[in-house]
Amino acid sequence: MPNGIAYLMLLMWPAVCLVLFRTQSVERAVVWSILGGYLLLPPLAEFNLPLVPAMDKVSIPNLSVLAILVFGTAHKVRLWPEGRVAQVLVVILVCSAIPTVMTNREPILFEVLRDADPILFLIDALPGQSVRDVGSVLIAQALTIVPFLVARQFLSTENGLREILRALMTGALLYSIPSLIEIRFSPQMNVWVYGFFQHSFEQTMRAGGYRPIVFLPHGLWLALFACTAAMAAAALARVTPRLDHWKAVLLTVYLVLFLVACKSAASIAYGMILVPLIYFAPRRWLVLLATLFALIAVTYPMLRNIGAIPTDAIVAKVAEVNPDRAQSLGYRFDNEEQLLDRAAEKPAFGWSGWGRSLVRDAEDGEILTIPDGRWIIVFGSFGWLGYIAEFGLLALPLLLLGGYVLRNRKAELSPYIGAVALILGITLMDMLLNATLTPFTWLTAGAVLGYVERLSPRRARDPRHALRTTPVMGSGSAGLHRNIL
């Protein structure tokens, strides 16, 4: 049960965001409002208000950023994407709530028929969706993609991309302090600060020690964050002037060691491969690899649906290296099989919320399957419509960027776009195994989409599309113009 500090932090975050926008550049304020909320606000704690989605560590920062940009700054906010495909996917993602809710109005009952007496006894029930739920789900879907739409406008410049990488690196350096304390003494930060533990304690024990979790939903989320931070540090080290170059390299090495200490095999594997690539490989290679990751992430669920993925062979290969990981992977595949069978009963629009997409015991309603990958959660809840909209919108920026690079082999690319694209690509890959979609994932996707839009020859010729991102006045910044009204 969250304590008073947890709810106080949620209430205070809009004020924190406002201070950021009044003291920092718009790029930095957007990045830290979203990333800071993700890292610091309490998981699971939320305000449940009637007819609107729960206000939690995701929706409060998103809503705060949107409200401040629209009502508290001089910027003209242009959230609507320029490309027709992106526009259609945004509309589908938000409006997919309507058919999903309207096709799930019946309750799911769990009943027992006694042999001695032909009477049905109602044991439990999952409620059906009502028309009033449509508005709540619509708002929730719209708030989810606020970071995507805001980043498309404000973080697509070279300065915006650099701020994303700097925030990842700085956030991980700071987050490593409580994380190392948890690695040494066991994961207790959320208990000490917010009064409760947010997950199964057993899942924090690994390799004779602990893996940290701090204020995130699970240790896997923190490990992926550490991986992306090490990638960001490598990208920044690559362009750091010679005088400070070795300092940047040492920070990268520290974050790689921090990643290893997080004890997550998949994230460690990602980091060991991608950090050197980001430091040494040409930018064009990084973009094309990120595009490949996006293609795999989009097509895997489709191939999984038709049984084209050799799951048994994959598990057998992993078992040759690590039997424990093979057992875990096999369990995930078994769960996916059962959840796919369940989703096949309502493939177009899914089962909606309240855990209706899960496989349960027919008599007592006990949950028999646990969904791990984000794709199976979306597919079970919103069907093909929701899956295509969400994964399509996340993968589209990488596909467009990869297409541009292939068509323009000598194009000059930002020194930061390859790393940002690869961070998004590896997150999409990880979402096949884990539900690691975060507001910062949407932020990176929006920044990449905005960058691709800026590469358009038509847009480059139109001065109206130039983004004015003058830093706001702060201490020691005489002569700079203020963007805040």
Side-chain angles (χ1 to χ4, degrees):
M1 181 69 180
N3 59 21
I5 297 176
Y7 293 105
L8 181 61
M9 282 291 291
L10 292 175
L11 288 173
M12 288 176 53
W13 199 252
V16 173
C17 296
L18 184 59
V19 171
L20 286 170
F21 275 91
R22 291 192 64 84
T23 59
Q24 305 296 323
S25 66
V26 65
E27 296 94 343
R28 186 168 297 175
V30 168
V31 171
W32 278 106
S33 294
I34 300 299
L35 181 61
Y38 171 63
L39 295 178
L40 299 178
L41 293 180
L44 303 181
E46 60 187 24
F47 293 106
N48 285 305
L49 305 175
L51 303 179
V52 296
M55 294 289 105
D56 56 15
K57 70 181 295 175
V58 173
S59 54
I60 288 176
N62 291 357
L63 182 59
S64 299
V65 167
L66 180 61
I68 292 171
L69 282 172
V70 173
F71 301 110
T73 74
H75 294 288
K76 183 177 181 181
V77 180
R78 301 184 301 272
L79 298 181
W80 196 236
E82 294 180 1
R84 185 63 57 84
V85 176
Q87 294 172 357
V88 171
L89 289 174
V90 167
V91 172
I92 293 176
L93 181 62
V94 175
C95 295
S96 62
I98 298 174
T100 295
V101 169
M102 298 309 294
T103 55
N104 283 279
R105 304 188 64 180
E106 73 289 350
I108 299 176
L109 307 178
F110 304 100
E111 302 171 319
V112 174
L113 177 63
R114 288 191 176 177
D115 295 336
D117 194 352
I119 299 177
L120 285 175
F121 289 87
L122 180 63
I123 304 299
D124 199 358
L126 294 176
Q129 305 285 277
S130 64
V131 175
R132 67 179 184 178
D133 292 321
V134 172
S136 176
V137 181
L138 280 172
I139 296 172
Q141 295 288 84
L143 283 178
T144 295
I145 59 172
V146 164
F148 175 85
L149 299 174
V150 168
R152 186 199 67 83
Q153 178 180 353
F154 293 102
L155 299 180
S156 58
T157 61
E158 189 145 313
N159 187 42
L161 297 172
R162 183 172 60 247
E163 285 296 337
I164 290 175
L165 297 177
R166 283 181 174 175
L168 276 172
M169 182 185 71
T170 305
L173 290 172
L174 296 174
Y175 223 59
S176 69
I177 299 172
S179 297
L180 293 173
I181 293 174
E182 289 197 338
I183 291 171
R184 176 64 181 84
F185 297 104
S186 83
Q188 296 295 329
M189 285 294 169
N190 207 78
V191 177
W192 293 339
V193 178
Y194 295 130
F196 70 102
F197 191 73
Q198 65 268 48
H199 208 276
S200 169
F201 191 81
E202 292 181 356
Q203 294 194 26
T204 66
M205 294 185 286
R206 180 64 57 84
Y210 302 99
R211 57 183 179 186
I213 184 170
V214 193
F215 306 128
L216 299 187
H218 192 281
L220 295 173
W221 274 245
L222 200 156
L224 184 63
F225 170 63
C227 174
T228 58
M231 294 166 64
L236 293 171
R238 182 172 177 172
V239 298
T240 300
R242 183 177 298 275
L243 185 63
D244 296 318
H245 182 75
W246 288 109
K247 295 178 183 179
V249 171
L250 288 175
L251 289 178
T252 304
V253 172
Y254 172 78
L255 288 176
V256 170
L257 294 176
F258 172 47
L259 168 61
V260 173
C262 290
K263 301 182 179 73
S264 175
S267 292
I268 292 172
Y270 304 154
M272 293 304 172
I273 297 171
L274 298 180
V275 169
L277 274 176
I278 287 176
Y279 189 79
F280 292 108
R283 301 167 194 168
R284 185 170 176 272
W285 290 14
L286 302 181
V287 169
L288 294 178
L289 181 59
T291 305
L292 176 62
F293 286 161
L295 285 171
I296 294 173
V298 169
T299 57
Y300 171 84
M302 302 177 186
L303 298 174
R304 190 76 172 87
N305 244 304
I306 62 175
I309 302 295
T311 56
D312 292 339
I314 293 173
V315 172
K317 283 293 183 182
V318 174
E320 295 175 2
V321 180
N322 190 326
D324 291 337
R325 294 300 90 212
Q327 183 180 5
S328 175
L329 186 61
Y331 176 78
R332 291 169 184 261
F333 284 151
D334 290 341
N335 270 273
E336 285 180 1
E337 289 286 354
Q338 298 179 62
L339 291 166
L340 282 171
D341 291 340
R342 173 70 172 168
E345 298 177 31
K346 290 194 173 186
F349 307 125
W351 286 93
S352 193
W354 302 106
R356 293 164 59 93
S357 63
L358 303 180
V359 178
R360 296 172 180 262
D361 187 276
E363 292 188 352
D364 59 16
E366 180 184 357
I367 296 176
L368 303 177
T369 56
I370 302 296
D372 288 308
R374 174 66 187 179
W375 74 271
I376 192 63
I377 295 174
V378 174
F379 184 58
S381 299
F382 292 96
W384 279 113
L385 189 69
Y387 160 73
I388 291 172
E390 182 174 293
F391 272 74
L393 202 56
L394 289 167
L396 178 65
L398 296 179
L399 299 178
L400 293 175
L401 182 60
Y404 174 85
V405 168
L406 288 174
R407 292 192 305 271
N408 303 271
R409 296 180 180 274
K410 296 183 179 180
E412 185 69 24
L413 297 175
S414 164
Y416 309 110
I417 189 61
V420 174
L422 203 51
I423 286 169
L424 174 59
I426 199 58
T427 304
L428 285 173
M429 287 288 289
D430 193 70
M431 283 164 55
L432 299 179
L433 299 174
N434 305 298
T436 44
L437 176 62
T438 71
F440 206 80
T441 308
W442 285 110
L443 198 80
T444 55
V448 175
L449 178 63
Y451 181 83
V452 176
E453 290 179 351
R454 289 174 178 278
L455 295 174
S456 166
R458 176 186 59 81
R459 202 170 193 258
R461 290 192 299 267
D462 191 344
R464 294 176 301 172
H465 290 293
L467 178 62
R468 298 177 178 89
T469 56
T470 309
V472 299
M473 185 180 297
S475 60
S477 57
L480 298 181
H481 295 288
R482 183 181 295 272
N483 286 329
I484 305 296
L485 287 175

